[in-house]
Amino acid sequence: MYKYKRLTTTSFRIYFFVLSLIIGVMAVHGQQQLTKLPTLYLSTENNRAVSDKVTWIPGNIKIISSDISENIDMPMTIRGRGNSTWGMAKKPYRIKLDSKQHILNLPAKEKNWVLLANYADKSLIRNAVAFKISTLLGFEFTPSVRFVDVYLNNAFLGNYMLTDQVQVGKSDKRVEVERLDISDNQLPDISGGYLLEIDGFAGTEALWFNTNRNLPVTIKYPDDDDINSEQLQYIKDFTNRFENALFAADFDDPVTGYRSMIDTTSLINWYIACELTGNPDSFWSTFIYKKRGIDKFFFGPLWDFDIAFNNDNR
């Protein structure tokens, strides 16, 4: 009489691996929701590789979620993003939808979104925790967050964090500053808005400058294609005026010192957030913005916390 043999631990692991592989293949071809998280299926035209941070590649995005109101299937374009993170094994991406959407029911109705890989952060949650701190501190804009599973051209990439692109937008759904027209070259219109990044990688950007003390600053808004020479000179001069006030002998004078040119609340909250998170990138990558008719810099939004919370050796 035939007797059934009990599975050994090794046999069980082999069977479990094969079963998992079969389920994974079925998920790819059937485009099912992989876990309880929404699953993003990204595909590029002719399966072209996303190989740089410049070239926008046309394709399609399909989202499958347990909340059917979050499901979409529409054209998009995709390219790489990031600085040091682009050189890592798990790549971050920018996606641009064919039309403005509240993707995954997030607050902003926009075309541009970011997929952060969080490769340097094995917990995957440091950026999200920092954004929660930003909300608690009351920043004018905090990027929204959803965790998702991502496939690109039928290859499973892993868990990503879908979040807002840091850009100028309406109300508090993105960075709220006034829009500049290419024809704006006189006060008060030329005074805003501007979105800047004090940026250690500024030299790789299309539009940037060094201050008088060689601090590299990237101009994120207006875009390099939209800014005129007068606007560029205005924001350079304003930044240097602030820097001069900061390093002047009377830097702490309430009228002529640096505080006359800074929104103190946002500066203090930014500094508290940097201290709470122990972020070594705080003085390497810092967003600031300027509104029209207000001769002050505002600090924010918070960004780039994947090596914060004691995840770095500096």
Side-chain angles (χ1 to χ4, degrees), residues 75-117:
M76 59 127 201
T77 53
I78 183 172
R79 66 172 174 83
R81 68 164 308 280
N83 291 304
S84 57
T85 54
W86 179 246
M88 296 179 181
K90 185 182 174 190
K91 309 292 186 185
Y93 298 100
R94 277 274 306 276
I95 57 174
K96 185 184 296 183
L97 304 178
D98 193 47
S99 62
K100 292 184 177 181
Q101 300 286 329
H102 291 286
I103 191 169
L104 292 176
N105 289 322
L106 292 176
K109 187 177 183 180
E110 296 286 352
K111 290 183 178 181
N112 291 282
W113 298 87
V114 170
L115 285 168
L116 292 181

Side-chain angles (χ1 to χ4, degrees), residues 28 58 66 73 84 91 98 109 158 191-192 227 240 253-254 259:
V28 170
S66 53
D73 190 347
S84 57
K91 309 292 186 185
D98 193 47
K109 187 177 183 180
S191 67
I227 195 169
N240 280 312
D253 187 284
R259 276 179 287 186

Side-chain angles (χ1 to χ4, degrees), residues 130 208 224 300:
W208 69 283
D224 57 304

Side-chain angles (χ1 to χ4, degrees), residues 83 194-211 215-224 227 232 235 239 284-289 297:
N83 291 304
Y194 297 90
L195 174 63
L196 310 179
E197 183 181 7
I198 302 168
D199 182 10
F201 291 103
T204 66
E205 299 289 341
L207 185 60
W208 69 283
F209 63 92
N210 273 324
T211 66
L215 184 71
V217 179
T218 299
I219 300 176
K220 293 294 188 178
Y221 179 83
D223 296 333
D224 57 304
I227 195 169
L232 177 58
I235 196 58
T239 306
W284 182 263
S285 174
T286 301
F287 281 106
I288 57 177
Y289 54 96
F297 274 132

Side-chain angles (χ1 to χ4, degrees), residues 114-128:
V114 170
L115 285 168
L116 292 181
N118 289 319
Y119 182 77
D121 172 17
K122 304 315 177 193
S123 75
L124 303 175
I125 65 172
R126 283 177 167 86
N127 274 310

Side-chain angles (χ1 to χ4, degrees), residues 130-131 133-134 137 139 141 143 270 273-274 287 300-305:
F131 292 167
I133 290 173
S134 171
L137 287 171
F139 278 85
F141 167 65
W270 172 83
C274 295
F287 281 106
L302 296 186
W303 189 259
D304 201 2
F305 286 77

